[in-house]
Amino acid sequence: MTTENIEKNTIIEKNNNRYPIKATTNVLSQKSENINGLNITFDFEEKLEKQILQSLPQEALITSAKFEGTNIALYTKNPEFSLTELTLHLSALSKSLKKRFIIRTDPSIRLTEDESRLAITKILPKEITVSVIFCDEATGEVILEVNNPEGITPDIFLKIAKVTGWITHTRRSPHIPSNSIKNIHSSLKSSSKERHNFYQVLGKRIFRPTILSNSLLKSEEYPNKENANKELVQENSLNQIHKYYNIEPSGYQYNNLKEVLIYCLGGVKQVGRSCFVVITPESKIMLDCGINPGENQSYNAYPRIDWFNFNLEDLDAIIISHAHIDHQGFLPTLFKFGYRGPVYCTEPTLPLMNLLQTDSVKISKANGTYLPYELRDVNEVIKYCIPIPYGKPTDISPDITITLNNAGHIMGSATVHINISGTHNILYTGDYKYAKTQLLDSAISNYPRVETVITESTYGSNTDIMPDQLTVYNTFTESINNTLKQGGKVLIPVPAVGRAQEIMLVLDKEMREGRLIESPIFIEGMISEASAIHMSYAHYLGYEVRKSVLEGINPFQSSYFTSINGLSKREDVFNDESPSIIMATS
């Protein structure tokens, strides 16, 4: 698809089933207010709360059960019991209700932040060094940035919850403090009340009553004796959809309750500005929202949301596959123009995304170039991001459950598996890599069911034969050696996120094993910041790297590496006549 044209009525066939994917120039517009529907949701929440409280043992001291984000939050005054013995009850209850639960502590039992810091410091073993203690009042969770997360045992987690009333999560302390993570903590701290309200509103939206019954979506053919009645119900349901989405005469009208619409707003037959919208009879979600940094004109650089007439508030969710600009660079612009819904991504994607968005603002101001958003819009994104780990099914609307899995592209990159009402499964791959690298494990490709695949194909031609890694490393090393032997400097322009960390590991290994001439390797500041984030989320890296980290080895610290910040230090490196290697962001 080019930027000037949209293909219509594309049919994907699998197993003799036809799944229409239709694009039109007028997207369905869902009404933002539905008072009766919301009242039903409130009633449903109250009835569900009573049912849950009656089903759980009194020892749990559950004070309330509320829709909160993607889960039902159970607030407890006995976290020690609720985090242990109660989990068995919740497993059975989750299966019967088909809902997912999360344990929160009742705010009345939480110590103040200062009291909690003091108590946590006393509870932790002496060999555990704490660099950051961040209390998130919106969730009742405390994040501990420590030198050895594996040293905090389950008993310590329980003791912290019992003594302080805060539920603990850990993250590894990086070799240098991360400004991106610090900025995220600051934004979360200043917006705790706003986010608490947002999570509850979001929970009501996710668990809102469905427009259609599952029988209409799943039934292939109706029995003859009930055919007339079923067709009448289907016709009424279609009318309900058209009324609910406020479809204009020129807009698309559902003629089949099992249709799923996919709109391509960018990233098709081109590299950059990946953006897709998936619409079901119940929901509307966006997959990625990138820009094409190589284009100067806005209509070629940004997703073509101007093709369609829909309100941003109609979106149930935005899902970001990974942190590269061509997949998330337009996201702050949506917040600038009023989007205030959830953004789902993996845990490391949030700080990496924040780093690249912030850098884009700095570059724009320094160069005097146009950027459709500002720093305040970047900070607004943080408040609405909901990080989810790999492999965790997450309900994001009444009929959509997503699961993120390792895509092997950069740290935190994910393929997005979309289950729609249990009847149709879409796999959005984002960018992925099947080869295992120095930094990451290969992409996961084992899915129970997939009917529709949206995949990148940048190197998908039958003439795109990639050389094996050994050949690439040997050629890379030989090229550098040729320059160093002549007394020259090797400048390696590299993206700060992903490729830079991979090359750092390759250079260090090649030098340690004697294939690369020993010389200083100068690392530009932004690469160091990205590497610090990689260290904080080292459990998202490849097996060999994780193993080294557990042994106390930081893969991004080497006697060969020297970090440089500031113009004067860069000039010192260039003025030095000694051979060296310089890694700078491209």
Side-chain angles (χ1 to χ4, degrees), residues 30 34-46 48-49 64-73 75 99 196-210 244 282 316 342 344 386 395-399:
Q30 178 180 334
N34 186 354
I35 304 302
N36 292 333
L38 290 178
N39 286 338
I40 293 173
T41 305
F42 296 148
D43 292 342
F44 175 62
E45 185 179 29
E46 291 175 2
L48 190 62
E49 181 179 28
S64 64
K66 301 293 182 185
F67 294 145
E68 191 171 296
T70 61
N71 303 286
I72 296 176
Y75 285 82
K99 300 286 188 297
H196 179 74
N197 293 334
F198 164 68
Y199 295 147
Q200 296 205 344
V201 171
L202 175 61
K204 290 177 175 61
R205 177 162 183 161
I206 290 174
F207 297 109
R208 67 186 185 265
T210 58
Y244 184 72
E282 302 283 353
D316 285 279
Y344 298 97
I386 300 180
D395 299 323
I396 63 170
S397 76
D399 64 340

Side-chain angles (χ1 to χ4, degrees), residues 1-7 23 263-270 275-276 307:
M1 185 184 75
T2 65
T3 56
E4 293 81 18
N5 180 48
I6 309 176
E7 293 184 14
Y263 297 87
C264 307
L265 310 188
V268 181
K269 287 190 177 180
Q270 63 180 175
C275 188
F276 301 85
W307 274 335

Side-chain angles (χ1 to χ4, degrees), residues 565-585:
N565 290 294
L567 183 60
S568 60
K569 291 186 178 181
R570 291 190 184 99
E571 290 178 348
D572 291 341
V573 171
F574 281 111
N575 292 333
D576 187 344
E577 296 182 358
S578 303
S580 63
I581 299 171
I582 303 168
M583 290 182 61
T585 53

